[in-house]
Amino acid sequence: MTQPARLYRSVLYIPASKERALEKAMSLPADAIIFDLEDAVAPDEKAQARLILDAALYDDFGHRARIVRVNALDTAWGRDDIAAFANHDRVDALLIPKVNSPADLEAVVALAPAKPLWAMMETAQAMLNAAAIAGHPALQGMVMGTNDLAKEIGSRFRADRLPMQAGLGLCLLAAKAYGKIIIDGVFNAFKDEQGLLAECEQGRDMGFDGKTVIHPAQVQIANAAFAPSEAELDLARRQIEAFEAAVGAGQGVAVLDGKIVENLHVVMAQRTLAKAEAIAAMAD
Ligand code: COA
Ligand code: MG
C-alpha cells in the first residue's frame, strides 16, 4: 500500500463524546486526529459518542487525516463501532486497540474491507509480533500505546523511558521494515511543556513520524519537534551542494564541516528538504 503524502507530527486524540473538543479541533494545527470511541469515552456514553462523531465528521477538518479509534472486537461495542464507520466517506482509517497479532487485523478486514487499518501497539504480544503486524497488507500505521504497555509489563514512568525502549524499538523497526507510519505514545502530564519536548525529541531522534497528543497545548510542541530546524535545513542544502561539487570534481565522497558526505547523506538531506516543503505546502 502506498503511503499518503501526509504529515503526522502531531496526532491529536479527541474523545468522540466531547462536542466542544470536536469543534475546537478544527482550529488546531494538528496534522491528524484520532477520534476516540475507546478509552476516552465512558461505557454509558459509547452509543451517543458514535452518533456525535458521525455528524461531526462532516465538519471541515481540512487536510488533517481523520482516524477513528474503535473499541476492540471482543468488547460489547467493537462490532457496532466498525459497522458505523467502515464505509464512512469522511473516515481515512480505523485504529484498532489491543492488536496482538495479524489475526486481530484480519478479523477487522472481514468487517471493514474498504478502510486502511492502524494498530494500537500496546501489549507484550504486540511487541513480539510487531513484524507480522507491520507486514499485514491492510495496515497503514502504528500508534504506540505506552500507557497500556506500561500497565501490562509493570514498568514505571521514567523521563528517559528506558523501560519502554525495547518495545518502542521493536515496533519502530517493524514499521520501517514495511514502510508503514509509526507514531509515538502520549505524554500524560499535559501541562509539563519541558517534559513533553524532551519526549518528542527522543521519539523524533529514534525515527518516529510524530507524537500522539491529548491536549491542544501539546500540538505546537510536537509540530516543532518533528519539523526540520533551520540549522538542519541549512546543513541539508550545504550537504547537497558539497556532494554535487565533489562529484563534479570526479570524487564520490565530499567533506563538509569535518564530516564525510556520501550519497546516503544526500538522500537523507533530500528527505529533510521534502519534509519542510510538505509543511510549507500545508500551511498555504
Ligand atoms: N482535543 C480538542 N480540544 C480539546 C482537547 C482535545 N483532546 N482537550 C481539551 N480540549 C479543549 C477543551 O474543550 C477546552 O476548550 P474551550 O476552552 O474552548 O472550551 C480547551 O481545550 C482547554 O481544555 P482544558 O480545560 O485545559 O482541558 P480539560 O481539563 O477540559 O481536559 C483532558 C483535559 C486531558 C481531560 C482533555 O484534554 C482530554 O479529554 N484529552 C483527550 C484524552 C484522550 O483522548 N485520551 C485517550 C487517549 S490517551
Ligand atoms: Mg490503550
Side-chain angles (χ1 to χ4, degrees):
M1 190 180 293
T2 52
Q3 299 299 331
R6 275 182 153 149
L7 292 161
Y8 294 93
R9 295 167 300 166
S10 55
V11 180
L12 176 66
Y13 279 106
I14 307 182
S17 54
K18 287 196 183 167
E19 283 173 288
R20 176 73 200 112
L22 288 164
E23 203 185 310
K24 189 168 178 90
M26 284 184 276
S27 66
L28 298 172
D31 285 344
I33 296 175
I34 296 174
F35 298 99
D36 191 21
L37 294 165
E38 200 218 11
D39 283 354
V41 177
D44 57 4
E45 289 188 320
K46 298 276 190 195
Q48 181 65 12
R50 228 179 264 138
L51 297 176
I52 294 172
L53 178 56
D54 176 35
L57 282 163
Y58 289 99
D59 288 336
D60 186 6
F61 288 97
H63 58 79
R64 299 169 188 80
R66 289 155 299 190
I67 301 165
V68 173
R69 185 165 79 167
V70 296
N71 286 280
L73 266 181
D74 63 359
T75 67
W77 313 284
R79 214 159 260 276
D80 288 344
D81 288 350
I82 292 169
F85 298 102
N87 296 305
H88 200 296
D89 59 357
R90 295 298 186 103
V91 173
D92 294 309
L94 297 178
L95 172 58
I96 315 304
K98 309 271 163 42
V99 171
N100 284 316
S101 72
D104 293 333
L105 294 176
E106 213 46 54
V108 178
V109 169
L111 302 171
K115 292 289 179 211
L117 301 184
W118 285 53
M120 287 303 302
M121 300 299 283
E122 55 187 347
T123 65
Q125 285 279 349
M127 302 304 110
L128 299 175
N129 292 328
I133 294 168
H136 192 288
L139 192 92
Q140 186 177 60
M142 289 178 159
V143 176
M144 296 309 305
T146 40
N147 282 324
D148 266 304
L149 187 61
K151 173 181 159 221
E152 188 173 317
I153 66 182
S155 64
R156 293 192 184 181
F157 173 80
R158 283 176 49 137
D160 63 5
R161 293 201 294 177
L162 195 60
M164 280 288 137
Q165 287 307 307
L168 293 172
L170 282 171
C171 294
L172 189 95
L173 290 171
K176 299 291 168 169
Y178 289 95
K180 305 295 170 82
I181 302 156
I182 183 156
I183 315 297
D184 201 355
V186 298
F187 185 71
N188 296 339
F190 60 88
K191 293 189 174 154
D192 175 2
E193 296 188 354
Q194 284 310 311
L196 172 65
L197 178 62
E199 223 181 80
C200 284
E201 287 175 347
Q202 186 191 46
R204 174 201 65 199
D205 291 354
M206 286 181 77
F208 284 94
D209 294 298
K211 190 147 183 84
T212 41
V213 296
I214 50 172
H215 191 275
Q218 295 187 312
V219 172
Q220 289 285 19
I221 294 172
N223 281 354
F226 284 91
S229 67
E230 279 307 320
E232 284 166 335
L233 290 172
D234 177 59
L235 177 65
R237 288 187 201 104
R238 290 193 302 120
Q239 281 178 320
I240 292 169
E241 274 171 28
F243 189 76
E244 279 171 2
V247 170
Q251 285 153 13
V253 178
V255 176
L256 180 72
D257 302 342
K259 295 182 191 131
I260 61 162
V261 179
E262 295 177 85
N263 197 31
L264 70 98
H265 299 110
V266 172
V267 172
M268 289 164 73
Q270 282 163 342
R271 212 189 276 164
T272 301
L273 296 181
K275 190 164 188 188
E277 272 169 32
I279 292 167
M282 213 173 58
D284 290 342

